[in-house]
Amino acid sequence: MKFSLLSGPFISLTLLGINTAVLAQYSPKKPYKGNVGPTLSQSIVTPVTFNPVAPAGAPNIVYIMLDDVGWGASSAFGGLVETPVFDSLANNGLRYTNFHTTAICSPTRASLLTGRNHHSVNVPTVIDAAVNLPGHNGYMPFEKGTIAEILREDGYNTYAVGKWHVTPSPDLTQAGPFNRWPTGRGFDAFFGFMAGETDQYTPALWENTIKVEPDLQGKHLTTVLVDKAISYIAGQHSAAPDKPFFLYFTPGATHGPHQVDRSWVDKYKGKFDAGWDAYREQVLARQKKLGLVPANATLPPRNPGVKAWESLSPTEKKVFARFFEVYAGFLSHTDYEVGRLINYLRDTKQLDNTLVVLIIGDNGASKEGGLSGHVHGINEYIDGSLFSENYEQRIKDIDSLYDRIGSAASGPNYPVGWAQAANTPFRYLKQDANSEGGTRNPLIIFYPKLIRKGGIRTQYSHVNSVTPTVLEIAGLSIPKVINGYPQDTLEGISLAYTLNNAAAAGRHHIQYYEIAGGRSVYKDGWKAAVSHQRGTPFSADKWELYHLDEDFNEQHDLAAGNPAKLKELQALFDREAKKYNVYPLLGDTTRLTPAILTRGPLDSRSSAILYPGLTQVPTRSAPFLSEQSFIVKADVELSSVSNEGVLLSVGGRFSGFTFFVQQGKLKAVHNNNGKLTDLTSGKTVPVGKAILRYELKYTRAAKLTDPAGTEALYINDEKVAERAITKADATISPYDEGLDVGRDQGSAVSPLYTSPYNFTGKLHHIEIIHP
């Protein structure tokens, strides 16, 4: 069957979409067409439709987006990691080889959900780093509705399962407001995590707006997420089999931590011993065979700092190969779990009328493992220890933990040599908005009702194109008003014109990119780009120029030979930046201090009183403790000398701080990426009422190992312990797990106790003071 937007069924669907949208949004009291008599027997009962009804035959819509995968990882795009489910979707759908994301997660998700550019919806970078400026504050405007808000008005049920990461940090407390949580942006139900990553075995999960602490019973998080997605669909399909659904499925895979059951890792044992250089060569050959890249394509040089595999020591080769075995197992496991979802739709006879959009990665492969990789979680990247610690010693430490890599006892990410390999055939990585390696990702569109056989599409496109594409294919439209907010137009360019015409001329002519000062602009096959080193002035940036139509993986900088074209594109970037609120550029010599970030009710006060029951408040939403002086006061009452437990904890087994009572003594422990330091009172905590105090006095320091002040413990104003600290001790900003009062939920910061280690005395409240 030929696909045409002018065919009769699509005209009628579009008209129905417009009508139902208007009725759904503007729904005055409807006249009753029956007859109301003085008694029921004298009345004529006529049903009234109060809720929006989807157009007849409207498809189910499924967005599946993975995290940090890279263009050349999955076998669907020539990679050496086996992804048979993705392969099947691609072989029976369309592969888009010129599709782009924004180079980092939150902006890509905001753009996907809204069909707009990421600065247009105030998400310039990861939501945790939003700044109080137009275009940058993290608050997606309600005038720019999400796909879920649109589809719900068109009679769909809407479900979000997995990673969210576009709710502003100040709103991520139990006080809300919840209007920018998933259920506030059009989703009937949400189950997943709110941050950029979470542990795959002890995740920080929410259901709708309620924090939950589920026992996964040893299951992997991706398995649990698929179970939840299937349960939502099963419930709806049982109650209303003719009603379509929209599923936004975004697992944490394959963002760090790379964790998966050992059986998936063992599947790849020894398969990457030849290293990342051989991997790139093999994958490029496979990509040519699949017709995904030009036949004359060559590999770009290694990224800066990446060594030739053959130059590595035996220990480096051993641990680096292990990192990628774990990663490959993680990706294959994800493919298997997505297959369970697809098979469920097939078994319930829903797949033929389901439009599946599979985006294999929300940006390029991750650079967050540095040159060595890491095993103790993302805080090794955030606090800079990944770059400041002795490289040889890091390799020895990783080797000592070899058997743990990939298990729940580790928080790994591979080294950047493997990240570039996973990005084959491109150069550079996630966060690099100037590069195809940072912004080009595989896109697969699968829709049996319209796409009868597989194919490849090469038209230029962007993540903001997905929602316009889906709405056009489904014959739906955007209500003029959603929830009382007049709607702005979409900014993405629909790809529906490519479904039945591989040779159709591209329609997406211009696209800007910008993350933390790195930036580029595309126009009709040409691209001007500039990398930016954070903390340096923009005047030092050097622009490059590429003709992508002839040099798709950016190996030949034409800036010197074609200054006129470069100047034209620089002026175009300036116009686009002004149009979409890109300015001011972030990432120069101005530090992103807490004072200029968006701040919430807990981190904007000099004193905050917290009560037991408060759990897993994200670090950026909680009182800010990192690299500054603060005091913790616990108002307690002990009924016996055996009372013990956590008073306040922040973080988990890979990074954090905990303040607790144990065996009669007051204790504080810092977990600096698995390295533990502790302070214990010299006196016993008395039975009865007491004020237990922890005090950190911070002195600004440059290096993590530099002296940075002192910390002390007090019982009823009597100092009972004190020691000097380093900057590492004062860097209290764990990412995966949040702040708890009266317990340590999730994983334990300290191995001295087992979570949740609830305080067994009476804890009236905790007060955190910034003096």
Side-chain angles (χ1 to χ4, degrees), residues 200-201 214-221 223-224 261:
Q200 299 298 316
Y201 292 101
D215 179 3
L216 302 190
Q217 298 180 336
K219 289 184 179 180
H220 192 277
L221 176 59
T223 302
V224 173
D261 185 84

Side-chain angles (χ1 to χ4, degrees), residues 510-529:
I510 295 171
Q511 184 61 50
Y512 84 88
Y513 299 84
E514 193 277 338
I515 298 292
R519 55 208 186 274
S520 60
V521 64
Y522 168 90
K523 182 182 179 184
D524 292 331
W526 286 86
K527 178 178 175 182

